[in-house]
Amino acid sequence: MSQGPTSVYWGRLLPYLKPYVAPLVGAVVAILATSLSTLGTIPVARQAALTFEHLSLGRLNTLIAALVAVYAGKSLFSWLSNLAASFVALRAVADLRVAAFAHLQEQGLDFYERRAAGDLSARLVNDVNMLKDALVVATAELAPSVLIVLVALGYLFVLNWHLAALAVLGMPVIGWAISQFANRLRTWSLATQGRVGDMLAYLNERLSNVLLVKTFGQERHEAERFAEFNRLHFLATFRGAQVQALQTPVVGFLQILAIGAVLWLGGYEILTGRLTVADLLAFAAAVGVCIDPVLVLSNAVGKIQQASGALERIFEVMDIAPTLQEAPDARELEAFRGDVSFQAVRFSYDGETDVLSGVSLEVPAGSVVALVGPSGGGKTTITKLLQRIYDPTSGSIRLDGTDLKDLRLAWLRGQIGYVSQDSPVFAGTIADNLRYGRREASEAEMVAAAQAANAHGFISGFPDGYQTVIGERGATLSGGQRQRLAIARALLRNPRLLILDEATSALDAESEGLVQEALERLMAGRTTLIVAHRLATIQRAHRIVSLAEGRIVEAGTHHELIGQGGLYAQWYDRQALAR
């Protein structure tokens, strides 16, 4: 990337630094004090030469006191500047990380279908940390280094312009060397960060599907694949380390050459009587003062170039606008009944192949409609469109006659209770998971929802009851227990609309019967959309809709569809024989 766009990215950090102006000003003051303390070594060096020319105990004491004061001040102000700079950098990048995560939460499902979770995690953690390191270096190290070099150079020209000119002549060469190293570091930094994202994506996927790996006996294969990811990461990282390891000695050697030339010319000037020993020591001290700042400058430029790659990756994600936007005048329905209407809805995931082809469907308020048909027919897609996870390619979906696009997203999804075939739960307590959709729910409401979903019994059987901590992805629960928790979580919201997408598929026969009874009571008065393959789940639906290849092929009650002898009747016969 060219320098222009990179500088724009750095400029976009300013809003994240603005809230911390006070500590930033404190860092600047401490940086100035650090620079002045460092520059104070120049007159001390000159005074040392004069002291030893006319040595006395008083002058010696004064010299030592000045030397201690200068270095004590330098240490104190350096500590303060690093502390203030670290505070500002840590707060700014923490705010940036929060903003980036919040932006990710606004993205639609299509965004996550195109990107690996591990890569996004790497951007939020590794890349942001790299940016933090660069900010500390830029403020606490780079700024004072530049100031020290500029002031020291000015002093050199005042003292002896011949020597100063010779010292300055070596700087373009040193600067060129630094820029070459910086460019290579940025290239390898981007490569390394990409490898980290690939590795995290692989780890997230394999560790979350460890049962599948073990079932097929692929432990050795997966270990070999990870070793390959690790090898590629090592190569990218080590190449960057090679560049960085070579940078300091090369720049340092160039500096020594420049200093050697200056000292030779200074000695020659003393021999010819044009320079005193005291002036040469002061000159050498000024040159010496520049050595560490130039090395710091070299390292700082490398870190900043690495961080530029990280910054580019962070803002690359933050610049992606969510495909699903809320209208500026989006509103809520004050008296929401629950009428659902699909009007000539077409939808495609890839923009080419229609998953739904002109679907029109009416679901009156309080009714129960079941969607049946072969896999890939569009049943689950209909439920996602109703939640406005996606927008239709054409056509419209309406609630009480109002297009979903005209409704506030938070309000719309707050009216819907959703339970899928494999409803996830989070690591944490059972109570936290149940209250996830309605965090203000009372203990009594939570228990009532669990009882209605036939979950209270097994929850009460745990020593800690509702405060029982369940593992990541609910690993400590059975499939039926996780499903009943998900049903209770949806019911706790007391939604006007219910979506049950294979909601009872993970239950055994006994649990399914109890949950079916509870669901029938709870569906009363609510608009309910059911996707199911089990007969018991859909037989009592007010209306059954058969879908195939994205089209509605028939609709009616159970008895009507059986009488027609169509797709539903064939499916019913197969289910009946399988029981």
Side-chain angles (χ1 to χ4, degrees):
M1 177 175 287
S2 64
Q3 184 66 23
T6 300
S7 63
V8 170
Y9 280 128
W10 282 103
R12 290 176 62 180
L13 277 180
L14 292 178
Y16 299 97
L17 295 170
K18 188 175 180 180
Y20 309 106
V21 170
L24 191 58
V25 169
V28 171
V29 171
I31 285 168
L32 290 173
T34 302
S35 304
L36 291 174
S37 299
T38 304
L39 291 167
T41 58
I42 299 174
V44 169
R46 194 174 196 284
Q47 185 61 38
L50 296 175
T51 296
F52 285 104
E53 282 182 6
H54 309 283
L55 188 61
S56 68
L57 184 60
R59 288 187 174 185
L60 186 60
N61 290 338
T62 302
L63 174 65
I64 299 304
L67 187 64
V68 170
V70 165
Y71 277 95
K74 177 183 176 181
S75 300
L76 172 64
F77 293 121
S78 178
W79 170 69
L80 290 174
S81 64
N82 272 283
L83 186 64
S86 296
F87 174 81
V88 173
L90 287 168
R91 290 302 311 168
V93 298
D95 293 345
L96 175 61
R97 183 182 282 126
V98 168
F101 183 77
H103 183 75
L104 290 178
Q105 297 305 297
E106 296 175 0
Q107 294 292 343
L109 202 58
D110 57 327
F111 173 86
Y112 294 97
E113 290 168 347
R114 297 191 304 267
R115 293 178 177 269
D119 178 65
L120 296 176
S121 299
R123 296 179 193 236
L124 285 179
V125 180
N126 295 18
D127 291 357
V128 172
N129 283 341
M130 192 174 293
L131 179 60
K132 178 263 297 180
D133 293 340
L135 282 175
V136 172
V137 167
T139 50
E141 297 182 20
L142 183 60
S145 297
V146 171
L147 181 61
I148 289 168
V149 170
L150 291 177
V151 174
L153 284 177
Y155 177 80
L156 291 177
F157 274 98
V158 170
L159 192 62
N160 188 301
W161 72 269
H162 298 97
L163 293 178
L166 182 60
V168 170
L169 284 175
M171 289 188 175
V173 177
I174 296 174
W176 175 82
I178 291 174
S179 68
Q180 293 302 304
F181 283 116
N183 290 334
R184 283 165 174 75
L185 277 173
R186 184 169 178 273
T187 299
W188 288 114
S189 173
L190 281 170
T192 301
Q193 291 153 5
R195 294 301 183 188
V196 169
D198 293 341
M199 189 185 304
L200 285 175
Y202 172 83
L203 285 172
N204 286 347
E205 185 177 53
R206 291 314 187 273
L207 294 179
S208 62
N209 291 284
V210 66
L211 179 60
L212 179 64
V213 174
K214 291 186 174 299
T215 299
F216 286 90
Q218 295 299 308
E219 293 92 340
R220 182 181 296 246
H221 169 70
E222 295 300 344
E224 291 172 353
R225 287 197 63 191
F226 179 75
E228 177 62 16
F229 277 107
N230 198 47
R231 185 184 70 83
L232 294 174
H233 174 260
F234 164 76
L235 290 176
T237 306
F238 184 63
R239 284 166 182 163
Q242 286 177 308
V243 174
Q244 201 158 18
L246 188 61
Q247 176 178 337
T248 299
V250 168
V251 173
F253 179 71
L254 292 174
Q255 284 182 306
I256 291 299
L257 289 180
I259 292 172
V262 168
L263 290 176
W264 185 91
L265 183 59
Y268 181 79
E269 294 277 285
I270 291 175
L271 291 176
T272 58
R274 291 195 292 268
L275 190 69
T276 65
V277 173
D279 287 339
L280 180 59
L281 284 177
F283 193 94
V287 172
V289 160
C290 293
I291 292 177
D292 282 343
V294 171
L295 289 175
V296 167
L297 178 62
S298 173
N299 290 326
V301 169
K303 284 185 176 294
I304 291 171
Q305 284 297 320
Q306 288 177 311
S308 294
L311 196 62
E312 181 180 342
R313 282 166 47 83
I314 295 166
F315 281 116
E316 178 191 6
V317 170
M318 295 185 69
D319 286 341
I320 299 175
T323 54
L324 195 147
Q325 300 283 347
E326 185 177 89
D329 57 348
R331 58 191 179 89
E332 302 177 3
L333 298 178
E334 295 182 1
F336 178 47
R337 299 185 307 276
D339 288 313
V340 177
S341 175
F342 285 72
Q343 300 178 355
V345 171
R346 302 180 70 90
F347 178 74
S348 171
Y349 287 103
D350 60 10
E352 297 179 2
T353 305
D354 281 344
V355 178
L356 296 178
S357 303
V359 169
S360 294
L361 174 64
E362 299 293 331
V363 185
S367 67
V368 179
V369 171
L371 304 177
V372 301
S375 298
K379 304 184 295 297
T380 297
T381 299
I382 286 177
T383 67
K384 290 178 179 177
L385 291 174
L386 180 56
Q387 297 172 87
R388 210 183 166 208
I389 303 297
Y390 301 102
D391 279 335
T393 306
S394 64
S396 65
I397 304 170
R398 297 178 178 273
L399 289 185
D400 290 355
T402 301
D403 196 309
L404 297 189
K405 296 178 182 178
D406 296 327
L407 298 174
R408 287 187 58 243
L409 271 174
W411 177 87
L412 168 65
R413 292 172 183 167
Q415 308 305 310
I416 299 174
Y418 178 74
V419 183
S420 66
Q421 181 177 5
D422 184 25
S423 293
V425 293
F426 295 117
T429 67
I430 289 175
D432 289 339
N433 273 278
L434 291 176
R435 287 192 173 112
Y436 190 71
R438 187 177 162 221
R439 304 187 66 84
E440 73 281 3
S442 68
E443 185 82 14
E445 290 172 322
M446 180 177 64
V447 171
Q451 289 174 331
N454 194 33
H456 179 70
F458 77 80
I459 294 173
S460 300
F462 292 126
D464 295 325
Y466 284 82
Q467 297 307 312
T468 299
V469 176
I470 56 179
E472 185 178 358
R473 300 175 182 270
T476 57
L477 302 175
S478 69
Q481 289 172 333
R482 287 197 301 271
Q483 202 71 346
R484 280 176 277 169
L485 280 186
I487 292 171
R489 179 174 60 196
L491 296 174
L492 186 58
R493 303 189 77 178
N494 192 25
R496 193 68 192 83
L497 302 176
L498 281 175
I499 297 176
L500 307 176
D501 189 354
E502 303 283 2
T504 61
S505 63
L507 302 177
D508 55 42
E510 180 182 358
S511 296
E512 182 186 10
L514 293 171
V515 172
Q516 283 291 349
E517 182 181 347
L519 287 177
E520 285 179 15
R521 294 196 305 270
L522 292 164
M523 287 189 296
R526 289 185 173 89
T527 306
T528 306
L529 202 59
I530 301 174
V531 177
H533 288 307
R534 293 195 179 187
L535 293 174
T537 309
I538 61 173
Q539 272 185 305
R540 295 185 180 87
H542 299 129
R543 193 165 178 240
I544 299 169
V545 177
S546 295
L547 289 106
E549 298 180 354
R551 299 179 183 275
I552 295 178
V553 295
E554 56 187 358
T557 65
H558 169 71
H559 294 293
E560 289 172 347
L561 294 179
I562 290 295
Q564 293 177 15
L567 180 65
Y568 176 77
Q570 297 170 18
W571 173 81
Y572 177 82
D573 290 340
R574 288 194 298 270
Q575 290 285 312
L577 289 173
R579 297 183 68 179

